[in-house]
Amino acid sequence: MSLTHALTLPPEARTVDHVAMFVDGEFVTAAAGGTFPTVDPNTGDTIAQVPRADGTDVDRAVAAARRAAVEWQFTDTIARSGLLRALAGLVTEHADELARIEALDSGHYLAKARELVGAIPLWLDYWAGLADKVGGRTIQVPGNKLSFTLLEPLGVTAHIVPWNYPLLVMVRSIAPALALGNTVVVKPAEDTSLSALKFAELVRAAGFPDGVFNVVTGYGAEAGASLAAHPDVAGITFTGSTETGRTVSKLAADHVAQINLELGGKSPTVVFPDADLDDAVEATVQGFCSHTGQVCVAGTRLFVHADVRDEFLGKLTDRLRSTRIGDGFAEDTEMGPLVSQKQYDRVREYIEIGKSEATLHYGGGRPDGLDEGGYFIEPTVFVDVPHDARIAREEIFGPVASVHLWTTEDELVEAVNDSIYGLFACLLGRDIKRLLSTARRLQVGGVMINDWFGELPMTPHGGHKQSGTGREEGLEAVHGYTQVKHVSINLDDSLRAGTDWVNAPL
Ligand code: NAD
């Protein structure tokens, strides 16, 4: 069934009217008519029923994207960039509703959701600007020949998105894909489908041709797996857990699709003995409590120099006590709920595991006075944590940090690198030589020195080891959405004119 729009969230409302997917320029229900609920993590109440796509819906979306790819790849870059810029303008115009949808569906507190949505146009503008600036190269070859490469789009690209930053993670990959001439099928996470669908309304309003951008909503093992396995999908960007990333990689391998994997982490925050401890505490708290710890780069392993342990932990405790946890729509909230009952149960279980492995230093419970139905949790810190403890090795994806002490750089580097993950590290101190030489020895895709993570369209993001392959953002992301074609032209009058071995007949 076709509908006029994806959804509407009136001001002050906490439910939406209906929810439709976006396929081939139309808002539709699932072919089989199935739906599933999406909930407000602040209360546990249902916001709406979302279409449950299956293989049939995915086939329709991929077929539409494939048809649209024929023209889109040759649509000139001025036109493609113009559409991306128009879309950026519409996002700004509709920022308030988009932010409220994101806050309601994902649990980001409203002020943070506003910041995130406010930044979305940066990604669209960045790739609108780059569309006509990236290309192939000429190559010096022997003989009288001209040899060059073309950088071409892949065709249909699939974008499988997690629930922690639904709009941002989607936009950071669809913007380069579209700018570089690919068509797109998005599969949002089942917990947070709504902002991608509202965004689809803006894509249509901006004037993108039908089929260039599609969104199918549904469960990972159903809609997500059908999309990753689809033989007409030429490129996949998967952002999510390492475990699901392995599954999606195998599906991609079966039809030899190009794949970018942006996966999980267990990132270190390292406090050097000369660090400004007030700043270090602030960076630490941002590092593991931001979005209630549901951040891929979350600094959940705290490596604190033994000399500053007591002072650092004292300041950290004071700062955590002042953290304002609450309903995301309340004025002064700085930490909202976890996204779902499932994630709440998972974090609670890890806290129990932690109690058996280490010493609970702070938190561990449910904050007082909040809606019983909401998925709220206190920031939690464990000390005396052995390096092989599960809470120190496994990605919890909640505001739970383990403290480890260190004294020498060799010991620090060995402990930090002893992880299957390699996404990110945060180093806090004053001696820049010491910080930089440590940064060079860490097996991670990104290092922040005396700062916390801020996502930007122009800086490459991605992981080493089991944190992923490929890069999102920055010039490096071009490779994830293009393929190379080599063209060679013989400039001699006759094929036999060349005498060198390169031209020799077989
Ligand atoms: P997840 O792996 O459970 O799900 C991610 C997406 O994959 C969802 O859309 C889900 O529906 C889909 N999916 C699930 N099973 C699938 C299957 N069999 N086939 C195809 N698709 C399937 O991850 P999540 O819990 O939504 O997100 C949290 C994870 O994402 C964390 O591990 C976090 O570190 C990671 N993450 C990484 C980055 C990064 O940039 N590296 C950014 C954000 C989140």
Side-chain angles (χ1 to χ4, degrees):
M1 191 173 58
S2 180
L3 298 153
T4 54
H5 64 290
L7 69 143
T8 303
L9 181 65
E12 312 299 328
R14 287 179 80 148
T15 56
V16 300
D17 47 6
H18 68 262
V19 181
M21 302 190 294
F22 189 60
V23 176
D24 205 9
E26 289 199 317
F27 293 103
V28 293
T29 53
T35 61
F36 62 94
T38 189
V39 303
D40 173 354
N42 294 289
T43 59
D45 295 341
T46 298
I47 306 166
Q49 295 290 329
V50 178
R52 176 177 169 177
D54 60 18
T56 308
D57 301 290
V58 169
D59 283 349
R60 254 199 85 207
V62 173
R66 195 172 170 208
R67 278 193 303 277
V70 178
E71 274 195 31
W72 185 248
Q73 100 160 285
F74 293 112
T75 299
D76 65 61
T77 51
I78 295 176
R80 290 206 298 253
S81 300
L83 287 167
L84 285 167
R85 290 201 176 96
L87 180 57
L90 286 167
V91 168
T92 303
E93 214 175 288
H94 292 83
D96 180 64
E97 189 182 5
L98 274 171
R100 285 186 291 107
I101 290 170
E102 194 77 323
L104 183 63
D105 206 15
S106 73
H108 277 289
Y109 61 92
L110 188 57
K112 177 56 76 180
R114 287 200 166 112
E115 260 177 41
L116 291 167
V117 171
I120 294 292
L122 297 177
W123 274 259
L124 298 167
D125 281 339
Y126 178 79
W127 286 102
L130 261 186
D132 60 3
K133 294 174 193 64
V134 293
R137 62 191 179 98
T138 52
I139 305 167
Q140 302 304 323
V141 293
N144 190 17
K145 293 182 177 191
L146 178 60
S147 191
F148 61 91
T149 61
L150 297 171
L151 219 45
E152 298 186 338
L154 301 171
V156 178
T157 55
H159 303 253
I160 302 178
V161 178
W163 44 256
N164 61 340
Y165 289 84
L167 199 57
L168 178 63
V169 170
M170 175 187 73
V171 170
R172 79 182 186 188
S173 79
I174 62 105
L178 292 171
L180 299 170
N182 302 277
T183 56
V184 157
V185 180
V186 175
K187 210 299 279 171
E190 44 271 53
D191 289 317
T192 55
S193 307
L194 302 185
S195 55
L197 295 170
K198 193 71 202 175
F199 184 82
E201 281 185 31
L202 307 182
V203 170
R204 183 155 91 164
F208 280 79
D210 292 351
V212 167
F213 177 85
N214 306 272
V215 185
V216 287
T217 49
Y219 292 116
E222 195 171 24
S226 301
L227 184 59
H230 202 294
D232 291 335
V233 166
I236 300 173
T237 296
F238 172 82
T239 311
S241 61
T242 296
E243 192 186 347
T244 313
R246 286 189 201 104
T247 307
V248 172
S249 285
K250 288 174 192 155
L251 295 172
D254 281 342
H255 58 111
V256 196
Q258 183 165 312
I259 187 158
N260 303 320
L261 293 169
E262 299 294 334
L263 306 178
K266 190 78 191 173
S267 298
T269 294
V270 182
V271 181
F272 282 74
D274 60 350
D276 174 321
L277 290 188
D278 292 317
D279 279 356
V281 161
E282 202 50 44
T284 300
V285 172
Q286 294 296 332
F288 85 95
C289 296
S290 190
H291 195 23
T292 321
Q294 303 164 114
V295 183
C296 56
V297 294
T300 50
R301 289 192 295 158
L302 308 183
F303 290 89
V304 180
H305 195 277
D307 289 355
V308 293
R309 177 199 186 273
D310 293 347
E311 196 184 351
F312 176 81
L313 283 180
K315 285 176 183 285
L316 178 63
T317 306
D318 291 344
R319 175 64 181 89
L320 291 175
R321 268 201 201 105
S322 74
T323 307
R324 296 182 302 274
I325 306 170
D327 185 291
F329 287 83
E331 193 76 348
D332 61 348
T333 293
E334 56 176 349
M335 191 166 127
L338 293 162
V339 73
S340 63
Q341 182 72 50
K342 185 175 160 204
Q343 194 59 21
Y344 180 73
D345 293 342
R346 175 187 163 94
V347 174
R348 293 301 298 255
E349 192 184 327
Y350 269 109
I351 290 173
E352 290 312 308
I353 293 170
K355 287 179 186 166
S356 68
E357 294 180 318
T359 307
L360 180 65
H361 174 76
Y362 184 86
R366 213 188 134 76
D368 296 330
L370 294 169
D371 191 313
E372 280 301 309
Y375 313 126
F376 298 100
I377 197 107
E378 283 182 310
T380 299
V381 178
F382 287 98
V383 294
D384 308 323
V385 187
H387 287 301
D388 61 356
R390 283 186 63 192
I391 56 160
R393 304 191 76 78
E394 297 174 16
E395 187 184 41
I396 298 173
F397 229 50
V400 182
S402 54
V403 176
H404 308 271
L405 301 183
W406 65 279
T407 47
T408 69
E409 267 90 331
D410 285 349
E411 168 198 1
L412 169 72
V413 168
E414 191 184 331
V416 166
N417 288 342
D418 180 20
S419 170
I420 63 163
Y421 297 111
L423 193 55
F424 176 78
C426 171
L427 306 184
L428 303 159
R430 285 200 175 89
D431 181 342
I432 194 67
K433 274 193 189 167
R434 200 173 175 190
L435 292 162
L436 279 175
S437 57
T438 303
R440 292 185 63 188
R441 295 173 68 190
L442 300 184
Q443 297 162 347
V444 293
V447 181
M448 287 278 143
I449 296 181
N450 293 330
D451 204 357
W452 57 72
F453 183 73
E455 189 123 8
L456 290 167
M458 63 292 273
T459 51
H461 172 69
H464 289 193
K465 303 199 277 189
Q466 292 189 34
S467 289
T469 59
R471 288 294 176 272
E472 290 283 79
E473 301 163 331
L475 288 175
E476 288 77 1
V478 168
H479 303 297
Y481 300 98
T482 52
Q483 55 193 335
V484 174
K485 181 179 282 171
H486 170 228
V487 180
S488 176
I489 310 162
N490 176 15
L491 298 174
D492 282 335
D493 291 338
S494 135
L495 248 185
R496 259 167 268 167
T499 52
D500 59 284
W501 64 270
V502 181
N503 279 326
L506 290 176

